Amino acid sequence: MTLPLPPEGADPDDLFTSFAVWAEESGTTLYPAQEEALIELVSGANVILATPTGSGKSLVATGAVYAALAADRTSFYTAPIKALVSEKFFALCDVFGAANVGMLTGDASVNGDAPIIACTAEILANIALREGADADIGLVVMDEFHFYGDPDRGWAWQVPLLELPKAQFLLMSATLGDVTNLAEDLTRRTGRSTALVANAERPVPLYFSYATTPMHETIAELLDTKQAPIYIVHFTQASALERAQALMSINVCSKDEKAAIAETIGGFRFTTTFGSTLSRLVRHGIGVHHAGMLPKYRRLVEQLAQAGLLKVICGTDTLGVGINVPIRTVLFSALSKYDGVRTRLLSAREFHQIAGRAGRAGFDTAGTVVVQAPDHEVENLKQFAKVADDPKKRRKLVRRKVPEGMVPWSESTLTRLESATPEPLTSNMRVSTAMILDVIDRPGDPCSAMRRLLEENHEPRKRQLRHIREAIGIARSLLQAGVLERVSDADGVQYRLTVDLPPDFALNQPLSTFALAAVDLLDADSETFALDVVSVIEATLEDPRRILAAQLDKARGEAVAQMKADGIEYEQRIELLDDVTYPKPLDDVLEHAFTVYCRTNPWAADGHPSPKAIVREMWERGLTFREFVSLYGLTRSEGAVLRYLSDAFKALRSGVPASARTEDFTDIVEWLGELVRQVDSSLLDEWEQLTNPAEDSVDPSAHLAVPARPRPLTGNERAFTAMVRNALFRRVELFARRRWHELGELDADSGWNADRWQDVGLDYFDDHDSVGTGPDARGPAMLIFDRRPGEWRVRQILDDPAGDRDWGFDVEVDLEASDEEGAAVLRVVTAGRLD
């Protein structure tokens, strides 16, 4: 229900009354804790809202935004992940109208001048660093504020508190712990009183239980007793998907419910291999939700759940980040998890964050939290029950032991976690190149601003001194790299950014300044210069472990096959495998360059370039997103692949100096950007549907906001041309390697199966010994384009060693089908000796 704009000149009492009336007309009567928080907010105080999940914190945030709008102040609503930012964005659009709400996530900028902005915490932190106290920010709502204590990302929750003294703050989380010091510090910095609203009763009580039946029986009982929707929490993505697939044997939904799901899904595009699996699952009433999925698939599952159409969702602990998936029961598959370093029991904060999602206010009278006993305990109880009446058999019973490497839990673990209070939040400030560049770009005296940031944060003094040393080292390297310059004026020595950087230039990676130096070492006249620039940037990106592990496995598999063919003995094969790795372009060059770089930039020694070829391999081999995922068996990690490609795109677009942005390089960047958008453009497209709904659209309440299609691929002719060239070169590469079967798989729909390709190939190799696959082979001289309306004709000429150029193949490019598919759709017309 849309909230009418606040009246001009309304006093705090009027604002509170009008908002409370609107809430009641919308079906919500304010709880005492909500009233207390809203009274403080409309009166201008900061509020730390530490009430249980389901107690209406989002409504309080809406009231705070309403009051800020009345005072003509800009509001920033932050959340820890893009999916949650997207959810809050659409919720705010529903209340305040799409014209008044914008979104900034780093990947998408929508209506950025709106008076209400939904964004990630990092985006707000960067604005605070660049603009400081002069930032036009009147209200900051920080959702899931417990991320303040996150070792990697906590800095982004702390920086706004330090740099925005004129703003009013609303900090919200169900699991904050003791925040007395934080409240006092916030009052001192902002000059506003800070109210702590906590200890509210949970509107929907939770009931905890410990299940010692096998998991499938536990799930069946919950379904039979009408405890759905059920969120089954796993701590690996693979186990979540395996559980969902195993549940396909249960008839979760009725025929009518399945029909409702199919109608709601409508024309949603399941464009990837995992998408095909997900389509089968959700049509059966079973969802999957984890960070490895594409954002559009996660949002689809969330929306189906919000519509009450999914009975079971198998996911990871992403549930604890505040995603609005309405559920009645949370079922923990375990109380221990691997955190990237070790396997350990869940903390009290982690447990309560997840458990608190059970029970929906307004729908459920109670929420259920069930912890599944470990398999060995379930089996031991089952065996004991069989011999319970026989003392002799009981004495002989051999109990199953805890599996090696497992950290076990028990009913007493549940009891302890249930009553435990969240651990205290600890500061995790961090200094980075991007932080320093943001502060240097601030008007005024950036040195004083940086000194204040480093000395007045919440870190203990020992860590503050370490951060100061890091900042000095980074600043020196920026001066040496020519990114900063020292100038003297009436106020003394100052620092400023150099003026020869592109307008969109940014250094977002720890080794970005090293990348600048490394690009200068490349041979600009080389045929591979553009791809070498790509490799330098890829070497500075964080390693996507799943992708690199898959590349390594494939490289070793191919190496073993070749060694077997060469007759190499087993022991020698094992020894030789140690030298096999995934592709690492420019490895030696970058290693030497980094050694030299560290002599004058010792601070950089903590990092290290990590050469890899993901973007480069996709370009060189002409692989689509789907082909790359299939080639390396990354179906369960499509989201990780997309995130890496998105990060690479942003780094290539903004982290490369103008001198290196050649035409070939620009082709690669355009291709990569369009590839990412075609795979998943859900955030921008959803907003476009809200602000420009189609005239023939039906009732939006009956359909998903997730769009069926992204923008037309062929609308970006440069990127689409690059995709066509890549698709053709993919065929050239397979032809050169005599991979007739793979060519047949690509072109079977055109009538060109493996046998037909092989016949042409054998004829070619009677004339020529090889096919070139170097830069010349994919260059413009080997391609002839005939761009017609609705269809392109393209001739790909083969680079034969004699230079005759008398072989090749002709294709038709279907533009409409390409827009539908989100990738270049080609049909082979002829192949062989050219006329």
Side-chain angles (χ1 to χ4, degrees):
M1 180 176 171
T2 303
L3 174 58
L5 294 178
E8 288 187 24
D11 64 22
D13 290 339
D14 292 336
L15 287 172
F16 176 82
T17 301
S18 60
F19 183 80
V21 168
W22 170 82
E24 191 157 356
E25 289 175 349
S26 302
T28 302
T29 300
L30 298 178
Y31 299 124
Q34 291 174 310
E35 290 184 338
E36 180 185 352
L38 284 167
I39 289 170
E40 294 286 355
L41 287 163
V42 299
S43 301
N46 301 313
V47 170
I48 300 177
L49 188 57
T51 55
T53 303
S55 60
K57 290 188 288 293
S58 293
L59 187 62
V60 173
T62 303
V65 172
Y66 177 71
L69 203 59
D72 197 25
R73 293 185 294 146
T74 301
S75 301
F76 274 71
Y77 193 125
T78 75
I81 60 174
K82 294 169 189 175
L84 189 52
V85 170
S86 174
E87 179 183 296
K88 296 302 181 185
F89 167 72
F90 290 109
L92 290 167
C93 285
D94 288 341
V95 174
F96 296 102
N100 289 314
V101 185
M103 176 172 62
L104 303 172
T105 65
D107 295 334
S109 175
V110 178
N111 203 17
D113 294 327
I116 305 166
I117 297 292
C119 65
T120 54
E122 283 81 0
I123 293 292
L124 176 63
N126 289 335
I127 294 172
L129 290 169
R130 286 196 301 271
E131 301 181 24
D134 293 331
D136 181 20
I137 300 175
L139 170 71
V140 173
V141 179
M142 304 194 83
D143 205 354
E144 307 296 329
F145 186 73
H146 56 273
F147 268 82
Y148 170 96
D150 185 90
D152 297 318
R153 303 180 61 202
W155 69 273
W157 273 260
Q158 183 172 163
V159 162
L161 307 182
L162 307 176
E163 295 295 305
L164 300 175
K166 297 178 183 178
Q168 178 186 18
F169 286 88
L170 169 58
L171 312 179
M172 306 189 301
S173 174
T175 56
L176 287 180
D178 183 4
V179 290
T180 304
N181 291 337
L182 188 63
E184 293 173 353
D185 183 74
L186 196 55
T187 295
R188 178 178 63 82
R189 291 178 187 275
T190 64
R192 301 172 184 265
S193 61
T194 301
L196 174 61
V197 180
N199 302 319
E201 280 194 29
R202 182 185 165 91
V204 179
L206 291 182
Y207 294 95
F208 296 82
S209 64
Y210 189 74
T212 56
T213 51
M215 177 65 96
H216 66 278
E217 292 183 15
T218 304
I219 297 169
E221 183 180 353
L222 290 170
L223 289 170
D224 290 343
T225 55
K226 309 299 183 185
Q227 297 302 308
I230 307 165
Y231 195 104
I232 309 176
V233 184
H234 303 78
F235 294 100
T236 68
Q237 296 171 5
S239 60
L241 180 58
E242 288 166 5
R243 182 80 61 195
Q245 291 174 318
L247 289 172
M248 288 288 284
S249 60
I250 301 175
N251 195 17
V252 173
C253 288
S254 68
K255 185 177 180 180
D256 289 343
E257 289 170 331
K258 290 177 181 177
I261 292 171
E263 182 181 356
T264 305
I265 289 174
F268 182 88
R269 293 174 77 216
F270 294 94
T271 54
T272 63
T273 304
F274 176 79
S276 300
T277 300
L278 182 64
S279 178
R280 291 193 299 272
L281 290 169
V282 294
R283 293 176 196 277
H284 202 73
I286 301 167
V288 180
H289 194 281
H290 60 68
M293 296 165 59
L294 296 180
K296 66 179 181 181
Y297 293 153
R298 287 203 305 270
R299 182 147 174 78
L300 171 69
V301 170
E302 291 160 15
Q303 290 179 321
L304 289 172
Q306 287 159 4
L309 296 172
L310 298 181
K311 295 294 182 68
V312 179
I313 303 171
C314 299
T316 57
D317 50 348
T318 53
L319 176 69
V321 192
I323 298 298
N324 184 21
V325 178
I327 51 178
R328 179 171 295 170
T329 300
V330 169
L331 171 56
F332 284 86
S333 64
L335 288 180
S336 64
K337 73 172 193 176
Y338 180 71
D339 62 8
V341 178
R342 61 189 177 91
T343 301
R344 58 169 176 79
L345 293 174
L346 299 184
S347 68
R349 174 170 288 109
E350 290 168 331
F351 177 76
H352 286 293
Q353 276 294 130
I354 301 169
R357 302 299 166 187
R360 303 163 295 174
F363 294 92
D364 300 321
T365 56
T368 301
V369 179
V370 180
V371 172
Q372 179 67 28
D375 289 343
H376 69 275
E377 181 181 345
V378 172
E379 183 62 26
N380 286 337
L381 290 171
K382 183 179 178 181
Q383 296 300 323
F384 182 82
K386 291 179 179 179
V387 299
D389 298 330
D390 190 329
K392 290 184 179 180
K393 290 183 178 180
R394 287 205 307 268
R395 285 194 297 271
K396 294 180 180 179
L397 184 65
V398 178
R399 294 180 177 273
R400 287 183 58 180
K401 296 182 179 179
V402 177
E404 187 176 352
M406 176 186 178
V407 174
W409 64 94
S410 64
E411 190 167 8
S412 62
T413 311
L414 167 60
T415 302
R416 177 181 62 79
L417 288 173
E418 181 184 346
S419 59
T421 56
E423 298 80 5
L425 291 174
T426 56
S427 170
N428 283 288
M429 194 60 175
R430 193 178 68 186
V431 176
S432 67
T433 303
M435 175 183 285
I436 291 176
L437 288 176
D438 280 337
V439 175
I440 292 292
D441 203 29
R442 182 190 300 186
D445 182 359
C447 292
S448 296
M450 194 69 211
R451 185 180 302 111
R452 193 166 53 249
L453 180 66
L454 292 169
E455 293 183 347
E456 296 183 14
N457 56 52
H458 300 160
E459 295 279 275
R461 185 57 181 167
K462 185 176 180 180
R463 290 217 298 266
Q464 284 182 346
L465 293 173
R466 188 183 72 196
H467 294 325
I468 291 170
R469 288 192 295 270
E470 290 174 350
I472 292 171
I474 294 172
R476 286 174 177 167
S477 73
L478 291 172
L479 285 167
Q480 292 166 354
V483 178
L484 290 185
E485 60 183 0
R486 185 185 289 110
V487 295
S488 299
D489 57 22
D491 297 325
V493 176
Q494 297 292 333
Y495 296 87
R496 68 183 183 192
L497 295 176
T498 53
V499 296
D500 59 342
L501 296 176
D504 59 350
F505 187 82
L507 297 175
N508 297 319
Q509 304 298 328
L511 292 177
S512 292
T513 51
F514 165 70
L516 284 178
V519 166
D520 282 343
L521 299 176
L522 301 177
D523 180 4
D525 296 326
S526 169
E527 294 175 334
T528 62
F529 175 71
L531 282 170
D532 290 342
V533 173
V534 170
S535 291
V536 168
I537 297 301
E538 285 203 82
T540 67
L541 299 178
E542 185 176 348
D543 283 348
R545 289 181 294 179
R546 289 189 183 90
I547 303 174
L548 298 183
Q551 286 184 321
L552 178 60
D553 286 346
K554 191 164 187 65
R556 288 183 169 175
E558 292 174 350
V560 167
Q562 185 60 51
M563 285 188 278
K564 285 182 179 179
D566 294 341
I568 298 176
E569 296 296 327
Y570 174 79
E571 290 78 8
Q572 189 178 0
R573 292 203 303 267
I574 296 300
E575 188 176 330
L576 291 172
L577 275 181
D578 290 338
D579 297 326
V580 177
T581 185
Y582 51 83
K584 295 183 176 182
L586 306 182
D587 191 7
D588 293 339
V589 172
L590 291 173
E591 180 69 30
H592 175 71
F594 189 67
T595 301
V596 174
Y597 181 77
C598 285
R599 292 173 187 166
T600 52
N601 300 275
W603 67 270
D606 290 340
H608 202 279
S610 177
K612 46 192 166 288
I614 297 169
V615 174
R616 181 166 184 156
E617 180 182 19
M618 291 181 71
W619 176 266
E620 286 186 317
R621 299 184 63 179
L623 296 171
T624 64
F625 180 86
R626 187 165 187 158
E627 288 169 343
F628 183 83
V629 167
S630 176
L631 178 66
Y632 288 110
L634 293 165
T635 301
R636 293 176 176 172
S637 303
E638 289 175 346
V641 177
L642 185 69
R643 278 195 299 276
Y644 177 83
L645 296 178
S646 177
D647 289 343
F649 170 64
K650 286 182 286 185
L652 290 168
R653 185 178 61 180
S654 61
V656 174
S659 59
R661 299 187 185 190
T662 63
E663 288 296 309
D664 288 346
F665 176 81
T666 303
D667 282 345
I668 295 171
V669 175
E670 285 289 318
W671 158 80
L672 182 58
E674 194 61 34
L675 181 147
V676 168
R677 184 177 185 112
Q678 291 297 321
V679 171
D680 192 338
S681 62
S682 54
L683 297 185
L684 282 179
D685 289 342
E686 287 175 44
W687 184 81
E688 288 165 0
Q689 283 194 350
L690 281 172
T691 53
N692 298 295
E695 292 182 5
D696 58 349
S697 63
V698 294
D699 179 8
S701 65
H703 286 263
L704 295 173
V706 176
R709 291 170 181 80
R711 71 184 184 189
L713 171 62
T714 56
N716 185 341
E717 185 169 311
R718 184 168 193 163
F720 183 61
T721 298
M723 289 185 180
V724 172
R725 288 169 49 197
N726 284 351
L728 289 167
F729 190 74
R730 173 83 172 133
R731 288 158 173 81
V732 171
E733 183 201 41
L734 293 174
F735 191 94
R737 298 168 70 185
R738 309 188 190 206
R739 298 287 183 87
W740 317 124
H741 176 71
E742 292 176 53
L743 278 167
E745 287 183 333
L746 279 177
D747 297 313
D749 291 342
S750 304
W752 282 79
N753 59 21
D755 290 340
R756 194 172 180 186
W757 270 113
Q758 184 174 11
D759 289 342
V760 173
L762 294 177
D763 288 344
Y764 171 87
F765 286 110
D766 282 342
D767 283 2
H768 303 288
D769 294 333
S770 62
V771 178
T773 57
D776 288 341
R778 67 185 302 155
M782 295 296 178
L783 287 166
I784 301 174
F785 278 86
D786 179 12
R787 294 178 172 87
R788 308 176 184 182
E791 182 181 87
W792 291 0
R793 292 286 187 100
V794 189
R795 169 167 287 183
Q796 172 71 63
I797 302 169
L798 297 179
D799 185 20
D800 62 87
D804 295 334
R805 299 184 178 179
D806 55 350
W807 286 79
F809 45 88
D810 295 316
V811 302
E812 295 175 345
V813 184
D814 188 326
L815 303 189
E816 184 177 349
S818 297
D819 286 336
E820 176 75 22
E821 185 69 21
V825 175
L826 282 59
R827 287 191 294 270
V828 178
V829 179
T830 61
R833 189 183 297 276
L834 301 175
D835 296 333

